[in-house]
Amino acid sequence: DGGITQSPKYLFRKEGQNVTLSCEQNLNHDAMYWYRQDPGQGLRLIYYSQIVNDFQKGDIAEGYSVSREKKESFPLTVTSAQKNPTAFYLCASSLPGQLRYEQYFGPGTRLTVT
Amino acid sequence: KNEVEQSPQNLTAQEGEFITINCSYSVGISALHWLQQHPGGGIVSLFMLSSGKKKHGRLIATINIQEKHSSLHITASHPRDSAVYICAVSIYNTDKLIFGTGTRLQVFP
């Protein structure tokens, strides 16, 4: 079955620790995205990557880092510099070209930092 | 003012009722999306449309480009339709999506 997997579903960390969220897709999509969702707000773009070894900052990139060493994988690191890391994180991917507007979402990771 | 506004924020209905969720946007778009988010958090794409109307089962989505407005209709609603429905727009000539804050729908038996 093709799809996007994110692990773990729930993640708990102490303040000051870096944490890496996993995102893997087997849809052969070129583009991948990371979003953050907070209560009462729309999803906001953290980082996106249109091709392997390339990525761009989204609207709220501060305190986050990413890598795109493989087409299938786009891990997100939440660093200790992120002031409010507790949130629901969603990964998505899309095809290139005209089909790029439709994004496929993973199940999400809920991160709690105390 | 948000670039994508949805109404209502919350909606409750009895099983079988006809439901309408509205979305207005203020930017140039290439496409508009309706997404469904279940309590577990995962998001499923319901529709992507750039003009007219699309239907899938009991769900119908319409868009009026001139008025910058879209509606999602659910006919013969069912408790399993309970979810958050999110409107998002693809900004014209970019790969970026801007999301509305969602409409929480609860359908009671």
Side-chain angles (χ1 to χ4, degrees), chain A residues 11-73:
Chain A
L11 192 52
F12 298 89
R13 280 294 182 270
K14 294 285 186 190
E15 201 173 306
Q17 292 179 333
N18 291 356
V19 59
T20 297
L21 281 58
S22 164
C23 177
E24 304 277 331
Q25 54 99 358
N26 60 4
L27 299 166
N28 201 32
H29 287 176
D30 285 314
M32 296 185 75
Y33 310 81
W34 273 106
Y35 295 97
R36 170 183 172 135
Q37 187 178 38
D38 294 282
Q41 296 192 43
L43 275 72
R44 292 181 291 167
L45 181 65
I46 304 172
Y47 267 98
Y48 65 104
S49 167
Q50 294 179 314
I51 199 167
V52 174
N53 292 322
D54 185 52
F55 48 82
Q56 288 80 40
K57 292 182 179 180
D59 301 317
I60 54 165
E62 187 175 344
Y64 299 98
S65 66
V66 293
S67 63
R68 187 85 189 276
E69 296 174 5
K70 297 187 299 181
K71 188 175 186 177
E72 304 79 23
S73 179

Side-chain angles (χ1 to χ4, degrees), chain B residues 33-90:
Chain B
H33 309 260
W34 282 103
L35 310 168
Q36 182 189 56
Q37 185 172 32
H38 276 284
I43 290 178
V44 173
S45 178
L46 298 174
F47 295 104
M48 181 177 70
L49 63 166
S50 53
S51 65
K53 176 177 170 177
K54 285 192 176 180
K55 185 175 190 292
H56 181 70
R58 295 180 293 106
L59 273 58
I60 303 165
T62 63
I63 187 168
N64 184 319
I65 297 293
Q66 286 71 34
E67 294 187 4
K68 294 190 172 181
H69 181 268
S70 174
S71 293
L72 176 69
H73 305 286
I74 304 176
T75 62
S77 59
H78 190 276
R80 66 174 173 267
D81 296 325
S82 298
V84 175
Y85 292 84
I86 300 170
C87 172
V89 298
S90 296

Side-chain angles (χ1 to χ4, degrees), chain A residues 7-22 64 76-87 89 109-114:
Chain A
S7 60
K9 190 160 178 64
Y10 298 96
L11 192 52
F12 298 89
R13 280 294 182 270
K14 294 285 186 190
E15 201 173 306
Q17 292 179 333
N18 291 356
V19 59
T20 297
L21 281 58
S22 164
Y64 299 98
L76 173 75
T77 297
V78 184
T79 76
S80 55
Q82 169 48 235
K83 294 194 183 345
N84 296 297
T86 294
Y89 292 87
T109 292
R110 190 167 298 280
L111 173 65
T112 303
V113 177
T114 55

